[in-house]
Amino acid sequence: MNRIRKGDQVVVIAGKDKGKQGEIVRVLGDKVVVSNVNVVKRHTKPNPQAGQPGGVIEREAPIHASNVMLFNPATGKGDRVAFKVLEDGRKLRVFRSSGEAVDA
């Protein structure tokens, strides 16, 4: 089970976009793509088969998962994640500061 999943709200804790918040769009191994974070300009050739125009396109590039922290809405800050094993054997993600479940 991963500490960070697609759809989670995160805060960037390191790098040029430090302090920005966003939602996880994709998880690529140990890297994540966060909406409106690490936006790069990509020069692309037109691809008529895919209906893709050419030009300079802005898109999000992946950043390392260690540079983001799960956002805790109760405190309004980033928070570390722990795992709690329930009686039936399932794992549950919980915030370290409060112990409350991440997946409500």
Side-chain angles (χ1 to χ4, degrees):
M1 176 180 268
N2 293 332
R3 295 180 191 282
I4 298 172
R5 294 186 197 155
K6 179 180 175 180
D8 286 346
Q9 288 291 325
V10 293
V11 179
V12 179
I13 58 170
K16 66 174 186 174
D17 293 317
K18 181 177 178 176
K20 284 190 179 178
Q21 287 186 25
E23 186 177 323
I24 299 287
V25 178
R26 274 187 298 163
V27 177
L28 309 163
D30 59 349
K31 296 192 176 211
V32 293
V33 178
V34 184
S35 62
N36 299 320
V37 172
N38 197 22
V39 177
V40 296
K41 291 184 187 233
R42 177 129 171 95
H43 295 70
T44 57
K45 288 176 112 176
N47 186 351
Q49 289 179 333
Q52 186 180 35
V56 181
I57 297 171
E58 287 191 351
R59 66 177 207 180
E60 295 101 359
I63 59 173
H64 201 272
S66 66
N67 293 332
V68 297
M69 193 177 252
L70 207 59
F71 180 73
N72 188 346
T75 61
K77 298 180 185 175
D79 206 343
R80 294 184 299 160
V81 178
F83 292 102
K84 195 175 188 179
V85 180
L86 302 175
E87 294 83 31
D88 58 353
R90 290 185 296 135
K91 276 187 178 180
L92 185 68
R93 295 187 301 164
V94 294
F95 289 116
R96 287 236 184 222
S97 62
S98 60
E100 64 183 60
V102 174
D103 311 308

